[in-house]
C-alpha cells in the first residue's frame, strides 16, 4: 500500500497535479502548489459540491468572507483560548507530534507487555544511530545499556509499567551500569517515526496563525513595552505585550464557519429568509499544524467546503440525520470503491461541549482511515456567543410556530410564548477540499498489467468519475500531417464551448501510447481523427474504462459526451 501511494505521488508530480511549493529554493515543508491538472480536479470537486448543496436546492445561498479575522471574533468563538492541540517534543530526535495520534512503544520481540526486552529506536542511517546512542548515554539516560544494530539502537529494558486511564503512573526501567535504577516516565506513547520513548510532558499549543494589521511595525512596540515593563508588576511581560498589541492583532481564519455566523443577520435580511436555510462557503483556512503528513492530507494551508444549515431548535435532530446521510451519499456518488468510505459517529468524549451529535466521513487511505468530512449538530452555541459579545440581533421571531411537514419534531423545545423567539441551531457540514482530492485520487488509482502482451510492467489508469476528471476529452490526429488539423480543431472547439477542458494531443507517438498517457491522468474520452475522417467526417471515440471505440460524425461527439455526463448527474 505504501508503495502504491508513492507511485501515486510520483504520478501527481510528473503529470502536473501537485508540485512542491518553492521547490527551486529547497521547498517549503507542508506547502504544495496545484499544477494544471490539479487545479482542474480540485475545481471539479468543488463544483460538484456547490451544485449539490446550492444550485440543486432553494434553501441554501453562498457567501465568501474575509480570511483575515479580528481578534474579538475568535475570542468570542473560543478559538483564542481553546483552539489547541497537545504538543510533545522528542528530546532525542527533536520531532514534535500530537500524543493522541502516537503509537504505543514497540519491543523486540514484539510482545505487548514483556517482562524484559529491547526497545528498538530506528534512526535514518548508521551515522545518526551512533550519534543518537551517544546522546542517550551521555545526556538522556546516563549509564543505560544500549547496543547498535545497523541503523537501530536497542534499549535494554528491565520492566515496563503501563499508565493509568489518565495517562499517569507509567514508567520504563532500563538496565544500567553503575546505577541501581534508571527509570523514565512513560505516558503510553512514543515518537511515531522512530519509536523513541524520550519525550517531554505534553503542553497545549494554539493552532492559529497570528499577525498584525498595522501600518507601524509591531516589533518596535514589543521592544518598548518590554523595556518599560516593571519586573515587580503582577502582570507578566507577555501579558503586557499582548495587551499593547491586541488592537492590531488579527488571525488567518482557522475555519470558514465564523465568517458565516457573524453575517447571519445580514443574510437573513437581504435574502428575506428564515430557518430552515443554509449558507455555503468555500475558502482557504490556516492551522499551524504540529505534524504535517501524507502529502496534502494535513497541511497548514487548506481549503474547506462548509455548509451551515440553520434550523429551529425543535427540528435540529431531524436535520442532523438528514445532512448526515446526504453528505455521505455525495462521497459514494463519485467513488470507484464505496466500501472504502465509511461513517463514524463520535463518542461523547470526542465531541465539543456544545455539540449534541457528530459524525465523520472517513476514507481508507493507504496508511489507514482518515477523516474527510465532519457533520455536526452544533446547537446554538456560535450564534449565542456572538450575541453575548456584540448584542447582535440573531433571534428569530415568529408569530406562529412553524412545524415543517414530514420532519421529526422535539416538542419540548418549542417556545411556549407568543410571538415565539429562538436562536437557531446549526447543523454543520465541513469538508476538506484537499483531502477530498487526495481521497478520490487514491480511490481512482489503478495499476494493471497486460497479460497478453510482452510488456509486463504495470500501467496506470486513473478511473476518476468523468465529472471530476481534469481533462474531459483529448482530440488526436492519427499522424502529424497537417491535413488532419482542421477537423481536430473543429472537434476541440465544439467541446471547449461546452465548458469542458479539452486538449489536442498531437505528439509523435503511436495512437495506443497516447491513449495510455491519457488513461494515466484520468481522461475519460479520446477522439481520433484519421483518414476516414477526411472522407466522411466521422471520428472514433474511445472510452477510458472499457476501451470500447465508437464511430460518430464529428458534430455528434459533444452530444455523446454531454449525455454521459448528464446521465451521471440524473442518476443521483
Amino acid at each position: 500500500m505504501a508503495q502504491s501511494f508513492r507511485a501515486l505521488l510520483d504520478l501527481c508530480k510528473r503529470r502536473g497535479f501537485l508540485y512542491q511549493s518553492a521547490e527551486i529554493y529547497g521547498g517549503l515543508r507542508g506547502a504544495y502548489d496545484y499544477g494544471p491538472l490539479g487545479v482542474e480536479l480540485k475545481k471539479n470537486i468543488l463544483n460538484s459540491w456547490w451544485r449539490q448543496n446550492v444550485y440543486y436546492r432553494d434553501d441554501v445561498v453562498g457567501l465568501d468572507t474575509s480570511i483575515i479575522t479580528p481578534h474579538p471574533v475568535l475570542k468570542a468563538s473560543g478559538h483564542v483560548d481553546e483552539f489547541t492541540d497537545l504538543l510533545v517534543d522528542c528530546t532525542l530526535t527533536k520531532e514534535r507530534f500530537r500524543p493522541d495520534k502516537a503509537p504505543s512503544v514497540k519491543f523486540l520481540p514484539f510482545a505487548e507487555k514483556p517482562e524484559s526486552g529491547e526497545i528498538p529506536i530506528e534512526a535514518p542511517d548508521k551515522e545518526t544511530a551512533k550519534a543518537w546512542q551517544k546522546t542517550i548515554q551521555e545526556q538522556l539516560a546516563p549509564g543505560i545499556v544500549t547496543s547498535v544494530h545497523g541503523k537501530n539502537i536497542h534499549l535494554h529494558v528491565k520492566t515496563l509499567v503501563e499508565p493509568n486511564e489518565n495517562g499517569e503512573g507509567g514508567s520504563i526501567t532500563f538496565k544500567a551500569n553503575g546505577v541501581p535504577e534508571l527509570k523514565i516516565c512513560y505516558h503510553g506513547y512514543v515518537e511515531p517515526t522512530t519509536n523513541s520513548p524520550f519525550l517531554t510532558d505534553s503542553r497545549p499549543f494554539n493552532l492559529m496563525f497570528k499577525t498584525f494589521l498595522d501600518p507601524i511595525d509591531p516589533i518596535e512596540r514589543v521592544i518598548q513595552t518590554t523595556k518599560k515593563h516593571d519586573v515587580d508588576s503582577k502582570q507578566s511581560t507577555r501579558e503586557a505585550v499582548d495587551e499593547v498589541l491586541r488592537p492590531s492583532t488579527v488571525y488567518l481564519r482557522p475555519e470558514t464557519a465564523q465568517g458565516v455566523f457573524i453575517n447571519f443577520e445580514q443574510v437573513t435580511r437581504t435574502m428575506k429568509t428564515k430557518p430552515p436555510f443554509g449558507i455555503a462557503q468555500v475558502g482557504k483556512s490556516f492551522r499551524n499544524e504540529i505534524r504535517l503528513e501524507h502529502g496534502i492530507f494535513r497541511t497548514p494551508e487548506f481549503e474547506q467546503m462548509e455548509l451551515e444549515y440553520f434550523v429551529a431548535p425543535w427540528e435540529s435532530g431531524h436535520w442532523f440525520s438528514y445532512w448526515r446521510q446526504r453528505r455521505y451519499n455525495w462521497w459514494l456518488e463519485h467513488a470507484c470503491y464505496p466500501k472504502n468510505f465509511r461513517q463514524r459517529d463520535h463518542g461523547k468524549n470526542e465531541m465539543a461541549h456544545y455539540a449534541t451529535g457528530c459524525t465523520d466521513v472517513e476514507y481508507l487511505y493507504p496508511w489507514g482511515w482518515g477523516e474527510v468530512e465532519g457533520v455536526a449538530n452544533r446547537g446554538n452555541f456560535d450564534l449565542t456567543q456572538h450575541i453575548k459579545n456584540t448584542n447582535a440581533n440573531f433571534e428569530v421571531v415568529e408569530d406562529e410556530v412553524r412545524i415543517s411537514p414530514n420532519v421529526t419534531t422535539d416538542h419540548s423545545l418549542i417556545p411556549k410564548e407568543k410571538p415565539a423567539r429562538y436562536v437557531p441551531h446549526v447543523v454543520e457540514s465541513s469538508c476538506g477540499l484537499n483531502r477530498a482530492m487526495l481521497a478520490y485520487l487514491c480511490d481512482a488509482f489503478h495499476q494493471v498489467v497486460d497479460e497478453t502482451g510482452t510488456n509486463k510492467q504495470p500501467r496506470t489508469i486513473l478511473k476518476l468519475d468523468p465529472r471530476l476528471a481534469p481533462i474531459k476529452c483529448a482530440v488526436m490526429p492519427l499522424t502529424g500531417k497537417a491535413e488532419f488539423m482542421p477537423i481536430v480543431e473543429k472537434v476541440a472547439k465544439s467541446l471547449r464551448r461546452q465548458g469542458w477542458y479539452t486538449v489536442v494531443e498531437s505528439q509523435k507517438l503511436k495512437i495506443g501510447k497516447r491513449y495510455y498517457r491519457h488513461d494515466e491522468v484520468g481522461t475519460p474520452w479520446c477522439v481520433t481523427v484519421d483518414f476516414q475522417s477526411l472522407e466522411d467526417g466521422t471520428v472514433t471515440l474511445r472510452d477510458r474504462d472499457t476501451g470500447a471505440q465508437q464511430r460518430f460524425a464529428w458534430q455528434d461527439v459533444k452530444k455523446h459526451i454531454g449525455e454521459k455526463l448528464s446521465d451521471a448527474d440524473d442518476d443521483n
Side-chain angles (χ1 to χ4, degrees), residues 235-284:
Q235 186 185 43
S236 70
T237 302
R238 177 58 188 264
E239 289 172 335
V241 170
D242 284 346
E243 185 175 304
V244 77
L245 291 178
R246 187 158 295 128
S248 60
T249 298
V250 293
Y251 298 88
L252 302 184
R253 66 184 179 197
E255 62 178 23
T256 64
Q258 296 307 318
V260 173
F261 297 137
I262 62 178
N263 279 285
F264 172 78
E265 189 272 333
Q266 297 191 82
V267 172
T268 57
R269 174 171 46 82
T270 56
M271 302 306 292
K272 310 299 181 186
T273 187
K274 287 187 175 182
F277 80 99
I279 302 176
Q281 179 170 205
V282 176
K284 291 284 185 74

Side-chain angles (χ1 to χ4, degrees), residues 33-95:
D33 299 332
Y34 292 82
L37 299 190
V39 165
E40 293 297 322
L41 175 56
K42 192 165 66 162
K43 176 174 66 68
N44 292 341
I45 295 172
L46 186 159
N47 288 343
S48 172
W49 184 91
W50 195 266
R51 280 197 306 271
Q52 187 176 101
N53 293 305
V54 181
Y55 292 159
Y56 289 179
R57 305 180 64 91
D58 62 4
D59 59 348
V60 177
V61 297
L63 197 65
D64 187 2
T65 64
S66 173
I67 288 173
I68 298 174
T69 308
H71 178 275
V73 172
L74 296 171
K75 179 70 173 178
S77 67
H79 285 82
V80 171
D81 298 323
E82 304 294 338
F83 196 62
T84 59
D85 275 341
L86 290 179
L87 168 69
V88 174
D89 286 310
C90 176
T91 54
L92 176 64
T93 69
K94 311 307 179 185
E95 285 291 320

Side-chain angles (χ1 to χ4, degrees), residues 543-560:
D543 185 275
R544 175 198 67 200
D545 296 333
T546 65
Q549 299 187 20
Q550 293 177 277
R551 197 108 192 150
F552 296 99
W554 71 263
Q555 296 92 336
D556 292 336
V557 171
K558 66 179 181 182
K559 177 183 176 183
H560 180 82

Side-chain angles (χ1 to χ4, degrees), residues 90-316:
C90 176
T91 54
L92 176 64
T93 69
K94 311 307 179 185
E95 285 291 320
R96 289 179 171 175
F97 62 94
R98 289 170 52 181
D100 61 321
K101 302 293 183 180
S104 57
V105 67
K106 295 180 180 178
F107 281 81
L108 292 175
F110 293 103
E112 292 184 0
K113 292 186 178 180
E115 294 300 323
S116 63
E118 297 177 10
I119 297 176
I121 298 178
E122 184 177 351
D125 50 58
K126 294 180 180 179
E127 290 72 20
T128 305
K130 292 179 181 178
W132 283 358
Q133 182 190 35
K134 184 177 180 182
T135 300
I136 293 169
Q137 291 176 331
E138 295 180 359
Q139 300 176 27
L140 304 181
I144 189 173
V145 176
T146 66
S147 56
V148 176
H149 304 265
K151 62 178 184 178
N152 286 341
I153 309 157
H154 290 188
L155 311 178
H156 296 251
V157 177
K158 191 174 182 181
T159 59
L160 178 141
V161 177
E162 292 284 355
N164 59 26
E165 293 181 355
N166 298 320
E168 301 170 346
S171 65
I172 301 175
T173 304
F174 296 106
K175 295 179 181 178
N177 295 317
V179 291
E181 187 176 82
L182 186 55
K183 182 187 294 186
I184 66 170
C185 183
Y186 175 59
H187 291 294
Y189 51 81
V190 291
E191 197 274 306
T193 305
T194 61
N195 197 43
S196 168
F198 299 106
L199 310 175
T200 65
D201 291 335
S202 62
R203 61 191 187 280
F205 170 77
N206 195 287
L207 297 173
M208 291 195 297
F209 284 102
K210 180 191 293 187
T211 187
F212 304 95
L213 194 61
D214 198 320
I216 302 172
D217 184 1
I219 299 301
E220 184 61 33
R221 272 185 288 159
V222 172
I223 294 171
Q224 295 303 321
T225 303
T226 304
K227 286 181 178 179
K228 294 178 181 178
H229 190 251
D230 182 3
V231 294
D232 296 326
S233 170
K234 293 181 180 180
Q235 186 185 43
S236 70
T237 302
R238 177 58 188 264
E239 289 172 335
V241 170
D242 284 346
E243 185 175 304
V244 77
L245 291 178
R246 187 158 295 128
S248 60
T249 298
V250 293
Y251 298 88
L252 302 184
R253 66 184 179 197
E255 62 178 23
T256 64
Q258 296 307 318
V260 173
F261 297 137
I262 62 178
N263 279 285
F264 172 78
E265 189 272 333
Q266 297 191 82
V267 172
T268 57
R269 174 171 46 82
T270 56
M271 302 306 292
K272 310 299 181 186
T273 187
K274 287 187 175 182
F277 80 99
I279 302 176
Q281 179 170 205
V282 176
K284 291 284 185 74
S285 294
F286 303 82
R287 294 179 186 177
N288 194 12
E289 293 283 1
I290 297 166
R291 192 174 185 88
L292 307 171
E293 56 187 355
H294 307 310
I296 58 174
F297 180 79
R298 191 184 304 280
T299 57
E301 176 185 345
F302 58 97
E303 284 187 77
Q304 286 182 292
M305 303 183 292
E306 289 199 319
L307 172 66
E308 309 301 329
Y309 198 75
F310 300 92
V311 301
W314 53 92
E315 295 181 350
S316 61

